[in-house]
Amino acid sequence: MVGCSLAIILWGGCSSRVDIDEQVTAKPNRSDPLNQAQLAISRQQWDEADKLLRQSLLLEPENQSVQRMLASVAANRRDWDLATDLMSTLVQGNVDASLEDRNRLAAMYMSAGRPFESMRVQKQTIEQFPDAIQKRSDLTGLATVMGTEEVAIEQLRWLARHNLGEEEGLAVLAQPSQVQPDVALCEKALSVCPEDQRAQFGIAKVDAMNSRWAEVAQRLRAVLERHPDFVPAYALYGRAVIELDDSNQIHEWRQNRPDGAQSSPLFWLTTGIMLQEQGQNEAAAKAFLEAATRHDGNDSQTLTYLIGVLRRIDRIEAAKQVEARNELLARLHDTVKTLHERETRSQSAAMAVARVMVDLGRW
């Protein structure tokens, strides 16, 4: 998947050592703790370096270079809380923080098993450095494997508009709700940092694709206990309890809506399904339309629900218009599949994809 190299490298058996390239001008005195710390680092004596750098920081608490070194030493000691706390101090709320510092913090969060914190930092990095192409690609891949394809789509569209898109990204754009998260990477994150349960969301999405709604509800209930404001989990949990027809949990779900839920297409899709189950077809149509609009009309699953409810309320012409768009999405899926099935990427197959994308108004 496009840009997922960050996740693979940091979770895929790479060297355990975190390089320390920070250069600090130390005093000539060899007994100075900073001189001794640099010597300990050169010998990979991490515990000794940690002790000496803490001493140096007491002497110069505002020395950012020492903070960076201590963060990198902490990473080598696998003290991820200290490593990320120190780098966060340098990055968060600092519009002048360098791209290198931001990348280092994002990478540390990944190694710490906290991919959603890494995504947060990467989003902030892109806001400050909009031309950081590799960072957009990294965020696309990470968001996709974690199941938050809405984040990936935003980046894919930017890359495409700037003629920087890759063919693999077309699969995400073609049918975003059908892109499967990487369960193994989600499980890896949970094993490294069980305190952060948000990676359960990607696994729950795969369960939902296979209609294992009891498993979805169980997983996401645990997520929401730890992270009640995590909108993707909230929206999908609602879908699960509706499918399970659990009236008590549906009521609780409606009462505990977090801030930002109404910006989520999945929230509106779930709301539409709930209203449809209650026979409120007019209201369901509005909810499905809101979900479709927030997907820019590019999610086949949402459009299918919208078509059905429009027909039930005798909005036949509107249903036909939505059906026409859904047929274009099906064509896009088929052309992307053809493009990827061929051993060599043919120009005609690529052009077929481009024509459908133009018809859909994707760019």
Side-chain angles (χ1 to χ4, degrees):
M1 180 50 59
V2 179
C4 66
S5 56
L6 180 66
I8 294 171
I9 289 171
L10 290 172
W11 286 341
C14 61
S15 171
S16 61
R17 180 180 174 183
V18 177
D19 290 333
I20 302 175
D21 52 10
E22 190 68 35
Q23 297 297 318
V24 183
T25 302
K27 300 174 183 177
N29 184 359
R30 290 182 60 83
S31 65
D32 180 81
L34 184 53
N35 278 310
Q36 295 177 359
Q38 290 174 320
L39 180 61
I41 289 169
S42 70
R43 295 172 176 174
Q44 298 185 34
Q45 297 171 338
W46 307 122
D47 289 345
E48 180 69 10
D50 174 80
K51 180 181 72 174
L52 292 165
L53 286 170
R54 287 174 187 267
Q55 293 175 17
S56 295
L57 207 55
L58 287 174
L59 297 173
E60 299 180 85
E62 302 301 320
N63 191 323
Q64 294 188 355
S65 293
V66 174
Q67 290 180 48
R68 290 187 189 92
M69 289 179 68
L70 183 55
S72 295
V73 167
N76 278 290
R77 296 175 62 246
R78 296 300 181 258
D79 186 346
W80 297 116
D81 287 343
L82 177 60
T84 54
D85 284 350
L86 285 165
M87 287 309 302
S88 291
T89 300
L90 295 172
V91 170
Q92 299 302 327
N94 179 12
V95 295
D96 296 323
S98 69
L99 179 60
E100 291 74 16
D101 278 351
R102 294 172 188 274
N103 287 343
R104 186 174 292 154
L105 177 57
M108 285 178 175
Y109 273 130
M110 285 294 294
S111 295
R114 303 181 67 187
F116 286 91
E117 288 304 302
S118 183
M119 277 194 277
R120 177 181 60 80
V121 173
Q122 290 183 54
K123 289 178 187 177
Q124 293 172 349
T125 300
I126 290 168
E127 290 175 3
Q128 294 297 319
F129 298 91
D131 294 327
I133 307 306
Q134 185 57 52
K135 189 53 55 183
R136 288 184 183 274
S137 183
D138 288 343
L139 180 56
T140 296
L142 182 56
T144 301
V145 298
M146 289 293 117
T148 53
E149 70 279 348
E150 294 164 26
V151 176
I153 289 169
E154 179 183 355
Q155 301 308 319
L156 286 169
R157 286 176 179 158
W158 189 96
L159 291 168
R161 285 196 299 270
H162 291 78
N163 295 319
L164 296 168
E166 299 178 17
E167 292 173 358
E168 290 85 349
L170 293 173
V172 180
L173 290 170
Q175 286 196 330
S177 64
Q178 298 305 308
V179 178
Q180 286 205 20
D182 191 315
V183 171
L185 286 176
C186 293
E187 290 175 340
K188 179 66 175 177
L190 291 165
S191 70
V192 174
C193 185
E195 294 80 12
D196 191 335
Q197 285 286 302
R198 285 174 290 182
Q200 290 277 12
F201 175 73
I203 305 172
K205 279 198 73 173
V206 175
D207 286 335
M209 289 176 176
N210 293 282
S211 299
R212 296 190 290 262
W213 296 111
E215 288 88 341
V216 174
Q218 181 179 4
R219 288 187 185 280
L220 296 183
R221 194 175 296 118
V223 175
L224 292 171
E225 286 175 359
R226 293 278 185 95
H227 314 280
D229 296 327
F230 186 40
V231 171
Y234 169 79
L236 186 56
Y237 177 73
R239 173 75 184 276
V241 296
I242 289 166
E243 294 290 345
L244 293 169
D245 197 23
D246 188 332
S247 57
N248 290 333
Q249 291 302 316
I250 292 171
H251 176 75
E252 183 177 331
W253 177 76
R254 296 182 69 180
Q255 296 299 312
N256 294 319
R257 186 174 72 194
D259 292 340
Q262 290 179 296
S263 66
S264 165
L266 182 55
F267 165 77
W268 287 107
L269 177 63
T270 298
T271 299
I273 293 170
M274 177 186 67
L275 293 168
Q276 182 176 260
E277 292 290 325
Q278 295 172 349
Q280 300 181 52
N281 289 321
E282 291 279 356
K286 292 179 181 178
F288 289 139
L289 179 60
E290 184 69 27
T293 301
R294 291 183 179 277
H295 270 304
D296 292 331
N298 294 326
D299 182 62
S300 181
Q301 180 187 39
T302 300
L303 296 186
T304 299
Y305 275 106
L306 180 57
I307 291 164
V309 76
L310 286 173
R311 289 192 172 280
R312 277 192 291 277
I313 61 176
D314 293 325
R315 298 285 302 277
I316 305 303
E317 288 304 314
K320 288 180 179 179
Q321 292 177 21
V322 179
E323 282 175 340
R325 184 164 188 88
N326 219 12
E327 289 170 3
L328 278 176
L329 290 174
R331 276 178 52 202
L332 178 60
H333 176 262
D334 291 342
T335 54
V336 170
K337 184 178 179 182
T338 299
L339 179 65
H340 284 282
E341 283 177 346
R342 298 188 178 181
E343 292 183 2
T344 58
R345 300 292 191 251
S346 74
Q347 185 175 3
S348 61
M351 287 300 297
V353 171
R355 282 193 293 271
V356 181
M357 293 289 244
V358 170
D359 290 341
L360 282 165
R362 285 296 178 89
W363 309 139

